[in-house]
Amino acid sequence: MSTTPSSSAHLPRFCGVPTFMRAPLASDLDSFDIGLVGVPYDGALTLRPGARMGPRELRNASCMMRSINQATRIDPFSLSRVADLGDVPFSSLFDVPQAHAQIREFLAPFFAAGKKLVIAGGDHSITFPVLQALNPAQPVGLIHIDAHTDTWDAFAGSKFSHGSPFRRALEAGLIDPKRMVQIGIRGAQNTEEGWQYSLDHGIRVIFMDEVEAMGIPAVIAEARRIAGTGPAYLSFDVDAIDPAFTPGTGTPEVGGLTSREALQLVRGLRGLDLVGADVVEVSPPYDVSGNTALVGATLMYEQLCLLAENLQADRA
């Protein structure tokens, strides 16, 4: 079994070059099994900017992560080789389709080589080019945890905002709507378009009031039922969590998950065939405490644990 080189993990946590969870920087495709990637892009936001700074602050906060998960006893760094792959290098920040193309081109070789990725955004528009880079042979399932469905159409003349990634992905045949669940949806809207699009296309939408009525264990069971046994992707927008815990995000909505419920929800997805995951919409300028980045980094760690455990099962 290959493990993550641990030399940097033995340094004091305030020392060394900041990488995601103090993992080594990748040297080549053969040096890692799971990659941690930053996508510092927020050119498709509809309200408050700042998510472009998310990956940098998530790296800083992730120095608080240690090896062994207290709840699951998973040590992802002993189960797989984990590496920081750096950030997507952008040369076109003011042209959304071109920026998305650069995300797709940077990530595609990793997916093509069979690598698992945990991705730090950036605004939620990045998930569309991530799924394009994944280029699945068949549409994948999707577990989407968010305050918003992100199935709206055009906004201010663009069809590629952070409110539309899953509509675009469904149109492109990248997602199976019958294996897609959206959890934590809430907040008033000026139009029902996004909600109705999801419902009309057979997506299971668990609005926040239903989450509260069902309880997290039942929500987990429903998500697992919907995702099934095939390949699936996990996308977590931090605005799914109440802004009491994650104020640093572009479109906060009150009445969300607690941070404890968020961790419970992700841990409940153990054993699903996850091909990748992301944490998006961390906007550090709106949270001087750093709590939002700490929550986001912890969610990335939990996602990493899921992927590492899956790799171990695949080898068995």
Side-chain angles (χ1 to χ4, degrees):
M1 180 188 301
S2 299
T3 62
T4 305
S6 59
S7 58
S8 58
H10 293 302
L11 292 172
R13 284 183 283 169
F14 48 83
C15 293
V17 176
T19 60
F20 285 118
M21 302 178 217
R22 297 189 294 166
L25 290 169
S27 55
D28 55 64
L29 275 173
D30 295 327
S31 66
F32 70 96
D33 305 306
I34 303 176
L36 310 174
V37 188
V39 184
Y41 181 74
D42 66 359
L45 287 170
T46 60
L47 188 57
R48 306 193 302 182
R52 69 187 67 183
M53 305 304 297
R56 180 166 295 186
E57 201 56 36
L58 283 163
R59 280 189 175 89
N60 288 337
S62 73
C63 77
M64 299 298 294
M65 302 303 105
R66 298 182 179 90
S67 298
I68 304 171
N69 189 312
Q70 169 268 322
T72 63
R73 295 299 193 266
I74 297 171
D75 178 354
F77 305 100
S78 68
L79 297 181
S80 58
R81 298 171 301 163
V82 182
D84 190 323
L85 308 186
D87 287 348
V88 174
F90 290 102
S91 60
S92 294
L93 286 172
F94 303 107
D95 181 329
V96 177
Q98 184 59 32
H100 283 183
Q102 291 177 334
I103 296 169
R104 182 171 63 249
E105 291 161 5
F106 183 77
L107 299 179
F110 303 129
F111 283 125
K115 307 301 181 180
K116 306 282 189 179
L117 300 182
V118 178
I119 296 163
D123 70 48
H124 217 157
S125 76
I126 71 165
T127 305
F128 175 46
V130 169
L131 291 169
Q132 289 179 305
L134 177 63
N135 191 28
Q138 299 292 331
V140 297
L142 183 77
I143 300 167
H144 171 211
I145 305 169
D146 201 325
H148 313 99
T149 61
D150 293 353
T151 50
W152 277 260
D153 199 359
F155 177 84
S158 174
K159 298 182 71 174
F160 301 101
S161 80
H162 70 156
S164 64
F166 301 114
R167 188 167 182 144
R168 302 286 85 88
L170 284 162
E171 292 170 346
L174 299 168
I175 301 170
D176 180 353
K178 303 299 184 184
R179 296 183 53 231
M180 178 174 175
V181 59
Q182 300 184 302
I183 301 169
I185 308 304
R186 66 189 189 279
Q189 299 292 334
N190 291 327
T191 171
E192 297 187 19
E193 177 195 353
W195 304 331
Q196 202 58 50
Y197 182 93
S198 290
L199 295 170
D200 288 346
H201 284 76
I203 298 167
R204 176 66 166 102
V205 182
I206 308 179
F207 291 92
M208 192 63 211
D209 53 354
E210 188 179 2
V211 171
E212 185 175 14
M214 292 173 66
I216 297 299
V219 172
I220 291 169
E222 179 73 343
R224 296 180 68 91
R225 182 187 71 81
I226 296 293
T229 59
Y233 186 85
L234 171 59
S235 187
F236 201 120
D237 185 327
V238 295
D239 69 25
I241 302 172
D242 194 274
F245 303 93
T246 55
T249 191
T251 315
E253 302 282 1
V254 301
L257 299 167
T258 68
S259 56
R260 185 182 302 163
E261 288 171 332
L263 296 179
Q264 184 183 0
L265 189 52
V266 174
R267 289 168 183 162
L269 304 178
R270 292 178 70 181
L272 294 182
D273 183 13
L274 296 176
V275 293
D278 63 46
V279 174
V280 298
E281 299 282 352
V282 171
S283 187
Y286 293 101
D287 183 5
V288 296
S289 73
N291 285 343
T292 306
L294 179 60
V295 172
T298 307
L299 290 169
M300 288 183 66
Y301 169 75
E302 294 289 345
Q303 293 175 342
L304 173 63
C305 288
L306 298 180
L307 297 182
E309 188 176 43
N310 285 354
L311 281 177
Q312 181 192 39
D314 291 343
R315 297 187 186 113

